Amino acid sequence: ADVDFFDYVVVGTDARRADIDELIEANLGEQWKIGRLDKTMLQILRAGTYEIIARPDVPTGTVINEYMDVAHAFFDAKDAKFVNALLDAVAKAKRN
């Protein structure tokens, strides 16, 4: 079942990449551009943003916590907090 879930996220994220990237960039600081993000960080943010916009049945906190856990596998606590802040901003823009 996990493979199906990941396939779903990867395919869905790729299909909506332009919209997802626009949402990510809109929630970065003024001096930041999406191209400055680490490639792994960008993929984590893309997948999390996709789940926020495509899976309203999954609570926002659950999505954010899942992607913070992924970020912790690759980055330090500061970067995981960045994932939290950015996905929270996306959720506030798209779910409220």
Side-chain angles (χ1 to χ4, degrees), residues 2-94:
D2 286 338
V3 172
D4 293 335
F5 169 76
F6 287 112
D7 286 346
Y8 163 80
V9 172
V10 170
V11 171
T13 300
D14 190 53
R16 298 178 72 176
R17 185 180 311 188
D19 292 335
I20 289 167
D21 285 359
E22 188 176 305
L23 279 168
I24 292 169
E25 194 148 59
N27 288 286
L28 291 174
E30 286 183 27
Q31 69 277 23
W32 278 86
K33 296 293 179 209
I34 202 165
R36 287 186 62 195
L37 293 173
D38 174 89
K39 299 296 184 201
T40 302
M41 175 61 74
L42 179 56
Q43 299 312 319
I44 292 168
L45 294 172
R46 281 177 171 157
T49 298
Y50 173 74
E51 280 205 63
I52 286 169
I53 61 177
R55 295 290 311 271
D57 58 310
V58 180
T60 300
T62 300
V63 173
I64 291 172
N65 285 335
E66 286 174 355
Y67 286 95
M68 281 183 65
D69 287 346
V70 173
H72 276 294
F74 297 95
F75 302 102
D76 63 19
K78 180 180 153 201
D79 289 321
K81 288 178 184 175
F82 172 73
V83 170
N84 180 10
L86 192 128
L87 293 180
D88 185 59
V90 168
K92 286 178 178 159
K94 298 309 281 183

